[in-house]
Structure formats: C-alpha cells, structure tokens
Amino acid sequence: MFDKFSHRHLTSISQLSKSDIQTIFKKAENFLDGNVLKTAQSDVLKEKTVVLAFFENSTRTRLSFEIAAQRLGANIVQFQANASSVAKGESLTDTLATIEAMNVDFFVMRHSVSGAAEFLKDYAKSSIINAGDGQHEHPTQALLDGFTLQNIFKNLEGKKICIIGDILHSRVARSNISLLKTLGAEIALCAPKTLLPNDISEWNCEVFKTSDEAVEWADAVNVLRLQKERMESGLLPSLGEFSKYYGISMRHVLQKPDLVILHPGPVNYGVEIQYDVANCENSYIRQQVTNGVAIRMAILELLSENF
Ligand code: NCD
C-alpha cells in the first residue's frame, strides 16, 4: 500500500513523502495499545548503538529517544556536549568522526545552529536524526504532532490547524507546517508581527491577529512558547499583552467546546497558555509525549532497515 521507506537519515520533513509519513504512523501505532505506550521490549536494534548528542537543553525529546531506543533493545550512549572536547574547540565533523570510529549506528543530535544536522549528514557513516536544529526543523516533533492529530481526527484532509505564538524562533512551527500541509490540512498562523518571519508571505498561510480569531477558525491549535533563548530584546511590549491577545485561556474552550489543543512543551503557564486549559480534556499535551516515544521507535526501526 505504501512505498518502501528508503531513508538513511531524518533531518527535515521536506525529505518525507505522504507515503513515508503514513508508514511511520502505521509503525508507531504498533507500539501503542490505544492511547497507552506498550512496555514490551523488542530486539530489532540489538547490537546497535544510539548516541544521543544534545548540544542544547532538552527534557522530553532526549528522554523520549532514550526510552524508544531502550525498548528496541539498543545500546545507548549519552554525549555530554558541555563536558566534551567541543568545549576545547573540537569541530562538529571531528566530533562525529571520533564517535563514529567507535562504531556507532545512530547519531541523534540537537544543536543550536540551524542546518547543523543537514550539514553533518554529508560526512556521516551513521544515521543522523535531527532532534531540533536552531530555528530550522524538529522533524520528530512534527511527526508526533501530526500523528496525535490524525488519531483524533482520523483524516487531516481539510482540517484547520492554527499554530499560535512565537513562530519566528520555532523549529516546531516550520516542521509542523511542512508535515501538516503534506497531509492535506489547512494551516494558519497567529502571532504578533515581530514574532513572524519576514518572508511570511511565502509560507502561504493565513495569519490571524488574535487568538480569539484563530480559535474561531480552527479545529485545532498548536500553541508555542516564547523562545527567549533565541530572542533579541524588544520583540514584545509586555508579557501581559502577549498573553491577552495571543494566549489560550478557558474562554477559548467555552467559545469552541471541541477545540483540540496541542503544545510541544515546555509550557510557560500564564503566558501562552493558562494552567487550567493545558490540563483540561481538550488538551492532548501528555498524549503528545506518549506518542513521541512510539514515533521515535518507528523512526529508529525504519531507518535501521536502510543501513
Ligand atoms: C521544542 C523545541 O525544543 O524546539 N520542544 C520540544 O522539543 N518538545 C519547543 C520549545 O523548546 O519551545
């Protein structure tokens, strides 16, 4: 039914066809029992080594990859960037070549530079998985978001999904737009002008000026944190105003009782989303985390078939 998944690396959503995405979703489904992750171990990655190289902070993505690799029977090695020779000036390519000389199979990397994973791919003997590169892409996050939405709506064709918040600094937004459009969804954005990229007109997405308008239009919203670590000062007049015009609160759930709410985390309660909304029945934030492990298991297994 689907074309063969023929990739050796996963660095960007743009490399995946609709058929590839559905192959990943179908495989991920096997690791779930309804909405719950199965705990059964398999040995498809027995004798394979997965290096987790996170040059930037992470809680859920790193742990999710670690649990996914563990469930598939892989050996897992944590690379501590700030305690490594990178701190002594070793280049990224030398770091990869050094680690690969120890005969590893996967290099799962998060890096603050946009394009870092794409760049390393050309030098790699191992399989490179992009776990987030600067403001560029976060393909496994988009896959788990799309998987969560498809499980809710069954089919994303024509579904209206609005991404709200700090789009400018968000790799999640870029990967989400690409993936959800491939699956046939209609995408809109909602952010102050200063948190939208300059080339926004090329993205071909409607832009809403308030979260009230966005919710009026949308079947689902994907809410993003203000990524202050990548922000120049002066992009926002005040947090209070951002929260008032772009935040999601209980009034939006009252406005649209079947609104689906996603957030990739980490959440800053009271800024982009209120605590009670993030924890209400319309919110799928914890389900996203569960699905993230299943999606990463699927990716690891599918990529390993092309070594
Ligand atoms: C996102 C990231 O790191 O890009 N988080 C994640 O991986 N779940 C979003 C963010 O940091 O705001």
Side-chain angles (χ1 to χ4, degrees), residues 263-284:
H263 191 310
V267 173
N268 289 156
Y269 291 125
V271 183
E272 74 276 10
I273 195 165
Q274 299 297 324
Y275 180 87
D276 47 358
V277 191
N279 291 284
C280 78
E281 279 189 356
N282 299 54
S283 161
Y284 288 80

Side-chain angles (χ1 to χ4, degrees), residues 31-306:
F31 301 119
L32 291 170
D33 187 358
N35 288 330
V36 180
L37 195 65
K38 290 181 189 165
T39 52
Q41 301 265 355
S42 97
D43 60 1
V44 289
L45 293 191
K46 195 167 163 255
E47 288 163 19
K48 299 268 186 264
T49 301
V50 177
V51 179
L52 300 178
F54 280 63
F55 297 83
E56 245 194 11
N57 295 347
S58 172
T59 300
R60 69 215 82 215
T61 306
R62 189 172 57 77
L63 286 180
S64 182
F65 268 112
E66 183 166 350
I67 291 173
Q70 225 171 53
R71 297 267 160 93
L72 297 174
N75 300 312
I76 298 142
V77 180
Q78 298 280 353
F79 171 78
Q80 302 291 350
N82 51 7
S84 73
S85 290
V86 170
K88 300 179 191 171
E90 187 159 48
S91 73
L92 205 50
T93 45
D94 254 12
T95 304
L96 176 69
T98 304
I99 293 171
E100 284 184 337
M102 300 180 209
N103 205 354
V104 304
D105 302 284
F106 288 97
F107 193 76
V108 180
M109 63 175 292
R110 168 169 287 193
H111 202 277
S112 58
V113 172
S114 300
E118 205 78 42
F119 165 75
L120 266 196
K121 190 173 81 173
D122 295 338
Y123 298 91
K125 293 196 188 82
S126 59
S127 173
I128 302 282
I129 302 180
N130 182 5
D133 61 327
Q135 303 174 195
H136 179 227
E137 280 241 25
H138 193 347
T140 58
Q141 181 68 44
L143 284 159
L144 78 89
D145 292 341
F147 180 65
T148 304
L149 288 166
Q150 183 165 293
N151 285 350
I152 296 166
F153 293 118
K154 307 304 171 217
N155 186 348
L156 293 187
E157 202 68 49
K159 285 289 163 213
K160 293 175 170 171
I161 298 154
C162 187
I163 304 173
I164 306 187
D166 183 358
I167 316 268
L168 176 64
H169 301 100
S170 177
R171 50 196 176 210
V172 175
R174 283 168 183 76
S175 290
N176 258 256
I177 292 167
S178 172
L179 178 122
L180 295 170
K181 280 191 169 179
T182 304
L183 295 180
E186 250 187 84
I187 307 296
L189 307 172
C190 176
K193 244 198 167 117
T194 48
L195 293 181
L196 286 169
N198 287 335
D199 58 353
I200 192 69
S201 56
E202 290 164 28
W203 291 27
N204 272 327
C205 296
E206 186 160 356
V207 179
F208 293 110
K209 288 205 171 70
T210 64
S211 47
D212 290 0
E213 287 173 29
V215 167
E216 187 61 41
W217 175 87
D219 298 308
V221 290
N222 196 357
V223 187
L224 303 174
R225 166 182 81 90
L226 293 172
Q227 291 139 75
K228 295 200 189 98
E229 71 276 22
R230 300 193 197 105
M231 211 179 269
E232 295 157 24
S233 59
L235 290 179
L236 275 177
S238 80
L239 280 187
E241 264 172 334
F242 175 81
S243 180
K244 181 171 169 206
Y245 294 110
Y246 301 98
I248 295 290
S249 68
M250 223 48 205
R251 79 167 188 279
H252 294 113
V253 177
L254 295 172
Q255 181 187 341
K256 187 168 276 185
D258 54 358
L259 181 71
V260 167
I261 300 166
L262 261 56
H263 191 310
V267 173
N268 289 156
Y269 291 125
V271 183
E272 74 276 10
I273 195 165
Q274 299 297 324
Y275 180 87
D276 47 358
V277 191
N279 291 284
C280 78
E281 279 189 356
N282 299 54
S283 161
Y284 288 80
I285 296 176
R286 303 287 174 243
Q287 191 61 49
Q288 287 175 271
V289 176
T290 300
N291 291 349
V293 178
I295 282 290
R296 288 169 180 125
M297 288 174 81
I299 305 268
L300 287 166
E301 189 173 328
L302 286 164
L303 291 174
S304 77
E305 290 164 7
N306 297 313

